[in-house]
Amino acid sequence: MRVAEIYINQINKNMDRSFDYYIPDFLEPMEIGLRVVIPFGVKNSKIDGLVVGIKESSEYKRLKNIEGIIEDYPKLNDWQIKMCYWLQKSYHCLFMEAVNCFVPSNLHIKKKKENGRNTYYMANALHEVKYYKLSGKYFKTEDYLAQIKSNATKQREILSCLEEIPVSFKELKEKTTCTTANLNILIKKGLITESKEINIRNPYKDREYQYPVNTLNRHQQEAFDSFNSYEKPSTFLLHGVTGSGKTEVYLRYIEETIKRGKSCIYLVPEISLTSQIIGRIMGRFKENIGIIHSHLSDGEKIDQWNAIKNKSVRIVLGARSAIFAPMDDLGLIILDEEHENTFKSNNRPRYNTYEVAKKLQEFHECHIVLGSATPSVSSYYEALYGHVNLLELPERVKSIPMPEIHIIDMKEELYAGNKTVISRKLHNGILQNLKRGEQTILFLNKRGYSTFVFCRNCGYAVNCPNCEISMTYHHNIKQMACHYCGHKEHVPTICPKCNSDKIKYTGSGTQKLEMQLRKYYPQARILRMDTDSMQRKGAYEETIDLFQQGKADILLGTQMVTKGFDFKNVTLVGVILADSTLNIPDYKASERTFQLITQVAGRAGRGDKLGEVIVQTYEPNHYAITLSQAYDYKGFYDQEISYRKMMKYPPFSDIIYIGFTNEDEVQVSRDCLKYYDKLYKLVKEEEGEELLREMYQPTASPIKKINKKYRWYFIIKTNHLLQYNSILNKLSEEKEIMELHSTLIIDINPNNIL
DNA sequence: AGCACGCCGACT
DNA sequence: GTCGGCGTGCTC
Ligand SMILES: [Zn+2]
Ligand SMILES: [Zn+2]
């Protein structure tokens, strides 16, 4: 019998390797990439796995037999398995975490008898979730606790956490450190009960859309022709000012690629994946469009998979995760709003979508198109000096001039006696817009009401008990909330430290701004758009629709309002405080500020009327602000790239973040230092001085604790990413490193280092 | 993930 | 002494 190498579908670092199994004759011909059911462990419990290799014999002597193949399960191709190994090695994740990018992971496997043999199939339309609650035997938690021994800490933890309302296993695991074994004991004792519920998937409903073909202007035509002149797989950067008609160019690229018999992936930031863009693409192409985002259920994912595999879907529109769509004849990958940080994953695997796309080019003859009004300096640098072709759209489609940007020095407002967050110029602009019946967008990058609540008498600040960070006051729920762990608590009316009642609220967020606006402009109809007000499903699109239809005068909100919407009647845009992004301690702060101002400014004056933008700041002379005022992308790029070069920041280096988290403050520092030492020795042995100099000393994170877990980290600013990656992979296999108690996070070029 | 093995504190 | 929770190691 032949032998199969099988990875088991278990996310666990001890299981990040293959296991050998015999292939019984009735399962031949076995193929790499198939999903199988195998007996595992002492109990031979049936578990699913992925075949990654086939060989004639095994070193290991006591092999078990594969039980069966899971029918209809998406089979991974050779290129997909190669991508998984690459993801694992490049981003330091488990192999199965990489696999789960490509295929749905929560299999619901059913068994049936056929010709006297067990065969397996998926019942993924139904996804069962286990819920737990207190049995209802007693009234108070204390009574439950009295039933178990004092040293049963895990069980006590579970009981204290549970209520009479069912809680899913997943939620319970986030709050406690329980296992199914602990829960089963409590069930046996009759203290808690278990129930199962089925997640029902709701299929995506098609609507009728129309999006007529727009004729291309000169620059668009040039961008189109240039793209077409490349036969070999190439990469392009489409740099087009806001309103220059990038979408139309993308659609032409897609049309052309489909004509050549190839398929396309069109990626947008998750937040931009709205009915507007879906409507445009569905309205243009008569083909089926696959829509992929991270909120799809496993059943929906399988549906999309099959539709792509049998080629009834040739165009996939989606957020970051859609880069893993199983296109075998990929011809084009578009990354729209290329500069957005959502193209970098913050969960394992912590991949960068552009890098994944470049890797895909090794397996597919496909073009990559990056598009943005404010390209990331790394991409622009590549376009100037690397293998990326620069395509420019320097004019707006209808030659509408860019709105004029005014910079307001808020220090001068203070001197003039204006203590509000709205400058006199912005105030007059809003009043005038209200009078003329034109719309206003206000951007403030802080949600909540007040971001810092403290006692004026003794300096006591309301900090989260789980995190070392100040909590934000939320007026809608009248509670303090932590933006890192979600913890909520009551608002102090008297200081718990000194009993003073001089509690002060500072740091205005969107909620406070909304209240102030309602006070100043009682006649105005105001909409607020931030993660808090957009919780409800569909709220985001409803708000957009309301504003689009002119049913509100002012739209205020966080990042969300900067996205590429086409509101024709918006003639005034206000940036309440540009400094809030500028002062983030991160090398990308200037870039981010420039991008935000440019993006939000692009919302003004999209119709026939001229627009105006007012940027309020305490640093009116910062180059990110003055150059965005001048719409001088190139000027900004030049300044920023010389700063990056001087400081050896990306694109002149890669930053490897190596972080540890643990509930024990001492343990986490010990583990981090130990890892650092081990790495230091290994680098010294294998590489030498040059790489050693790229390692920075470990320290506690700027936010020392998040969600009860203390954090330590160090970074490596390197020009030898490949060498470091292989050393880090080698280190992860060492026993002493495997045994570290703290959770290890390795992030290559992370979005932030908090 | 689950399960066995073995250590050690609580309780008879 | 025994019972049982909980950390550790292993699963082809
Ligand atoms: Zn006080
Ligand atoms: Zn918190």
Side-chain angles (χ1 to χ4, degrees):
Chain A
M1 274 191 286
R2 295 205 294 169
V3 173
E5 295 173 322
I6 295 170
Y7 265 89
I8 279 135
N9 186 16
Q10 210 76 256
I11 302 303
N12 181 321
K13 69 177 170 189
N14 298 319
M15 304 263 268
D16 194 30
R17 63 190 178 93
S18 63
F19 290 84
D20 289 356
Y21 281 85
Y22 282 130
I23 307 166
D25 291 337
F26 73 94
L27 289 178
E28 292 284 8
M30 179 55 71
E31 285 178 83
I32 291 175
L34 285 174
R35 257 339 229 253
V36 290
V37 174
I38 42 173
F40 190 71
V42 237
K43 279 267 164 168
N44 281 331
S45 44
K46 303 294 176 282
I47 196 164
D48 79 283
L50 172 75
V51 178
V52 296
I54 294 173
K55 52 193 180 185
E56 292 308 317
S57 63
S58 170
E59 315 248 296
Y60 199 87
K61 285 301 143 211
R62 283 151 302 164
L63 297 192
K64 296 176 184 175
N65 281 4
I66 298 176
E67 189 90 7
I69 293 168
I70 306 173
E71 291 167 19
D72 308 324
Y73 193 81
K75 188 196 143 197
L76 286 178
N77 283 342
D78 185 50
W79 68 266
Q80 289 168 311
I81 290 180
K82 284 192 177 126
M83 283 296 293
C84 290
Y85 281 118
W86 177 80
L87 282 165
Q88 179 196 23
K89 294 282 172 263
S90 310
Y91 298 107
H92 309 279
C93 67
L94 305 178
F95 182 75
M96 267 313 192
E97 288 174 323
V99 170
N100 290 342
C101 292
F102 287 91
V103 287
S105 56
N106 297 319
L107 309 192
H108 199 247
I109 298 155
K110 286 269 166 88
K111 186 161 74 170
K112 65 179 174 189
K113 275 251 169 11
E114 216 170 65
N115 305 330
R117 261 204 192 105
N118 289 334
T119 56
Y120 295 88
Y121 65 102
M122 295 180 307
N124 252 79
L126 305 178
H127 180 209
E128 266 186 347
V129 182
K130 282 185 183 175
Y131 285 86
Y132 298 90
K133 67 177 185 72
L134 293 178
S135 63
K137 240 183 187 172
Y138 308 96
F139 291 108
K140 280 189 258 162
T141 306
E142 293 82 66
D143 298 331
Y144 281 96
L145 292 174
Q147 303 304 309
I148 49 173
K149 289 190 183 165
S150 56
N151 64 343
T153 49
K154 294 255 169 177
Q155 297 183 21
R156 290 185 162 268
E157 199 186 343
I158 294 166
L159 285 177
S160 320
C161 188
L162 282 177
E163 289 170 25
E164 305 262 339
I165 309 149
V167 177
S168 73
F169 183 54
K170 206 181 160 192
E171 278 178 78
L172 203 56
K173 266 196 74 176
E174 279 164 17
K175 289 180 194 160
T176 67
T177 53
C178 70
T179 60
T180 38
N182 305 130
L183 287 162
N184 287 335
I185 295 170
L186 287 169
I187 292 170
K188 251 185 216 157
K189 288 181 181 166
L191 296 173
I192 65 169
T193 55
E194 178 189 278
S195 61
K196 287 172 189 171
E197 269 185 40
I198 291 162
N199 279 2
I200 300 160
R201 62 173 144 152
N202 41 349
Y204 185 82
K205 284 199 186 85
D206 292 25
R207 277 189 261 164
E208 280 292 314
Y209 292 104
Q210 282 294 327
Y211 189 62
V213 178
N214 299 308
T215 46
L216 301 179
N217 66 22
R218 185 168 62 87
H219 296 293
Q220 287 174 314
Q221 189 65 46
E222 276 171 20
F224 182 62
D225 293 341
S226 172
F227 174 84
N228 276 342
S229 67
Y230 284 84
E231 289 288 328
K232 287 250 154 57
S234 313
T235 303
F236 304 87
L237 173 61
L238 183 62
H239 174 211
V241 298
T242 52
S244 59
K246 287 189 291 293
T247 309
E248 185 60 38
V249 178
Y250 298 148
L251 295 181
R252 297 297 181 91
Y253 289 167
I254 293 173
E255 193 184 358
E256 193 59 29
T257 308
I258 298 290
K259 253 191 225 161
R260 294 183 194 173
K262 296 205 158 198
S263 55
C264 308
I265 297 177
Y266 182 176
L267 301 174
V268 296
E270 183 112 42
I271 187 129
S272 303
L273 192 60
T274 57
S275 58
Q276 190 177 20
I277 182 70
I278 294 172
R280 280 183 178 181
I281 191 157
M282 284 191 165
R284 177 64 62 85
F285 298 100
K286 53 187 184 301
E287 291 94 343
N288 287 326
I289 311 291
I291 311 284
I292 294 186
H293 51 81
S294 55
H295 303 302
L296 291 181
S297 71
D298 285 318
E300 288 171 311
K301 275 183 204 156
I302 296 219
D303 293 348
Q304 297 276 4
W305 235 88
N306 292 331
I308 294 166
K309 274 280 168 186
N310 69 28
K311 305 205 172 184
S312 68
V313 161
R314 309 288 291 144
I315 304 166
V316 163
L317 171 66
R320 183 175 70 218
S321 60
I323 190 73
F324 299 110
M327 310 284 219
D328 286 325
D329 51 5
L330 194 58
L332 173 65
I333 302 169
I334 296 169
L335 272 84
D336 190 18
E337 310 282 340
E338 161 277 331
H339 61 279
E340 283 291 327
N341 58 17
T342 53
F343 285 117
K344 169 71 175 66
S345 165
N346 292 328
N347 304 313
R348 286 189 300 180
R350 300 171 195 278
Y351 60 91
N352 176 314
T353 310
Y354 175 40
E355 288 166 12
V356 175
K358 278 196 273 193
K359 188 68 188 175
L360 283 171
Q361 260 180 340
E362 290 182 17
F363 304 105
H364 302 280
E365 293 264 302
C366 70
H367 289 315
I368 299 173
V369 173
L370 308 174
S372 177
T374 51
S376 66
V377 292
S378 296
S379 301
Y380 203 79
Y381 178 78
E382 236 189 305
L384 292 182
Y385 302 105
H387 302 287
V388 175
N389 305 294
L390 184 61
L391 309 170
E392 304 254 18
L393 302 178
E395 283 169 20
R396 285 188 147 187
V397 186
K398 291 167 203 151
S399 306
I400 318 158
M402 299 299 280
E404 195 182 336
I405 299 179
H406 305 277
I407 293 168
I408 305 295
D409 185 349
M410 291 306 275
K411 276 179 296 207
E412 279 177 20
E413 291 293 311
L414 266 180
Y415 294 142
N418 178 8
K419 285 180 189 160
T420 69
V421 293
I422 296 167
S423 62
R424 290 159 294 172
K425 186 165 177 66
L426 182 56
H427 174 69
N428 291 333
I430 293 173
L431 281 180
Q432 199 173 52
N433 253 20
L434 286 171
K435 210 184 288 168
R436 289 198 297 225
E438 294 170 9
Q439 291 172 301
T440 304
I441 290 178
L442 297 177
F443 167 63
L444 176 59
N445 202 17
K446 273 180 190 164
R447 64 193 181 90
Y449 183 91
S450 176
T451 50
F452 194 62
V453 177
F454 69 103
C455 166
R456 227 181 327 184
N457 189 36
C458 74
Y460 165 86
V462 183
N463 275 353
C464 175
N466 305 330
C467 316
E468 294 233 342
I469 193 93
S470 64
M471 300 223 289
T472 300
Y473 172 59
H474 281 246
H475 194 263
N476 53 337
I477 51 171
K478 303 225 169 15
Q479 274 187 317
M480 305 296 299
C482 172
H483 286 180
Y484 286 87
C485 71
H487 174 81
K488 292 185 180 71
E489 59 182 55
H490 289 296
V491 188
T493 44
I494 53 162
C495 172
K497 236 183 175 176
C498 72
N499 287 328
S500 154
D501 61 353
K502 299 227 173 351
I503 304 289
K504 186 148 169 68
Y505 294 68
T506 57
S508 294
T510 45
Q511 292 182 6
K512 185 170 184 185
L513 179 63
E514 183 188 2
M515 284 188 63
Q516 287 172 326
L517 292 171
R518 289 192 191 285
K519 202 170 91 191
Y520 302 150
Y521 318 107
Q523 74 278 32
R525 296 161 300 170
I526 297 170
L527 291 173
R528 176 168 60 89
M529 194 156 80
D530 52 35
T531 20
D532 302 306
S533 67
M534 296 299 122
Q535 283 295 314
R536 197 167 43 81
K537 217 183 164 189
Y540 183 60
E541 305 212 332
E542 271 171 40
T543 309
I544 303 269
D545 283 347
L546 278 176
F547 199 61
Q548 186 99 53
Q549 291 157 16
K551 289 180 181 159
D553 305 301
I554 300 174
L555 174 68
L556 78 114
T558 51
Q559 318 258 355
M560 290 180 186
V561 301
T562 67
K563 288 294 161 281
F565 288 105
D566 223 5
F567 300 122
K568 296 275 187 276
N569 198 30
V570 172
T571 52
L572 177 63
V573 163
V575 178
I576 302 298
L577 194 62
D579 311 30
S580 56
T581 43
L582 209 50
N583 292 335
I584 295 169
D586 182 51
Y587 72 90
K588 277 184 267 187
S590 306
E591 181 180 23
R592 190 96 191 103
T593 307
F594 180 86
Q595 287 163 349
L596 278 170
I597 293 175
T598 310
Q599 298 278 337
V600 75
R603 301 311 109 220
R606 293 194 140 233
D608 308 322
K609 284 160 271 183
L610 206 63
E612 189 181 18
V613 180
I614 293 169
V615 177
Q616 305 186 153
T617 175
Y618 287 95
E619 281 182 69
N621 297 318
H622 193 284
Y623 66 98
I625 290 176
T626 53
L627 291 168
S628 63
Q629 177 187 30
Y631 291 104
D632 186 1
Y633 175 80
K634 193 66 180 34
F636 172 77
Y637 166 80
D638 288 339
Q639 281 258 347
E640 185 65 16
I641 204 77
S642 60
Y643 161 72
R644 300 278 179 98
K645 190 167 195 169
M646 188 178 74
M647 300 300 291
K648 207 188 140 194
Y649 281 129
F652 300 100
S653 68
D654 288 294
I655 291 174
I656 304 173
Y657 167 91
I658 297 174
F660 289 83
T661 67
N662 196 314
E663 300 209 2
D664 187 329
E665 193 174 4
V666 181
Q667 181 90 46
V668 74
S669 61
R670 225 186 296 150
D671 286 353
C672 187
L673 290 166
K674 188 167 180 181
Y675 189 98
Y676 177 88
D677 287 342
K678 282 249 153 203
L679 179 63
Y680 194 89
K681 277 190 196 118
L682 203 57
V683 173
K684 198 169 189 176
E685 273 169 33
E686 307 217 338
E687 299 288 346
E689 278 301 313
E690 196 184 344
L691 269 76
L692 279 184
R693 276 198 300 272
E694 298 181 331
M695 288 174 67
Y696 286 66
Q697 285 296 318
T699 48
S701 289
I703 301 176
K704 267 169 66 183
K705 183 173 72 165
I706 293 178
N707 227 341
K708 292 183 186 160
K709 286 183 176 138
Y710 289 90
R711 314 167 72 81
W712 270 65
Y713 80 107
F714 65 95
I715 63 160
I716 305 165
K717 207 152 75 173
T718 182
N719 292 316
H720 310 88
L721 183 60
L722 290 178
Q723 283 102 308
Y724 263 111
N725 268 345
S726 74
I727 288 177
L728 290 171
N729 285 323
K730 194 179 278 181
L731 195 62
S732 301
E733 286 165 19
E734 279 190 22
K735 203 160 180 278
E736 270 185 274
I737 297 298
M738 296 262 287
E739 281 168 355
L740 291 181
H741 261 234
S742 308
T743 320
L744 167 64
I745 299 162
I746 300 180
D747 201 338
I748 314 294
N749 294 317
N751 274 338
N752 52 44
I753 308 180
L754 294 179

